[in-house]
Amino acid sequence: AATGFMLGVVDAATYELGATVALQPGDLLFCLTDGIPEARVGAEELFGMERVKRGVLQCAGRSARATLESVVQAVRSTSEQLD
């Protein structure tokens, strides 16, 4: 039985007790805080999870560091374009 606490709990999501995920060599588990999707990229716009997903998917096959740097740069450049 699991004894730890859940990370990334979202009210609208459903969770299966005892579910496991098997990562294979080359798989990427991208963990982030709400600061990335909630980054302001305009007066009333947030970066959003869809942009995060697109950014991660565009980095398929790249290293975890390269993926992280790409997503962070996307937040910065999107924010600068809208200033």
Side-chain angles (χ1 to χ4, degrees), residues 8-79:
V9 178
V10 177
D11 287 339
T14 58
Y15 302 95
E16 183 179 331
L17 184 61
T20 61
V21 175
L23 297 176
Q24 302 299 317
D27 287 350
L28 175 69
L29 175 63
F30 192 81
C31 300
L32 67 152
T33 68
D34 58 357
I36 298 288
E38 292 180 6
R40 293 237 174 251
V41 294
E44 297 181 23
E45 185 179 0
L46 302 179
F47 189 73
M49 281 305 296
E50 286 306 313
R51 284 188 177 120
V52 173
K53 290 178 196 176
R54 275 196 310 269
V56 171
L57 290 173
Q58 289 172 350
C59 293
R62 296 175 66 190
S63 71
R65 179 173 296 281
T67 302
L68 172 64
E69 290 171 355
S70 179
V71 171
V72 170
Q73 182 56 39
V75 172
R76 289 182 178 144
S77 64
T78 303
S79 179

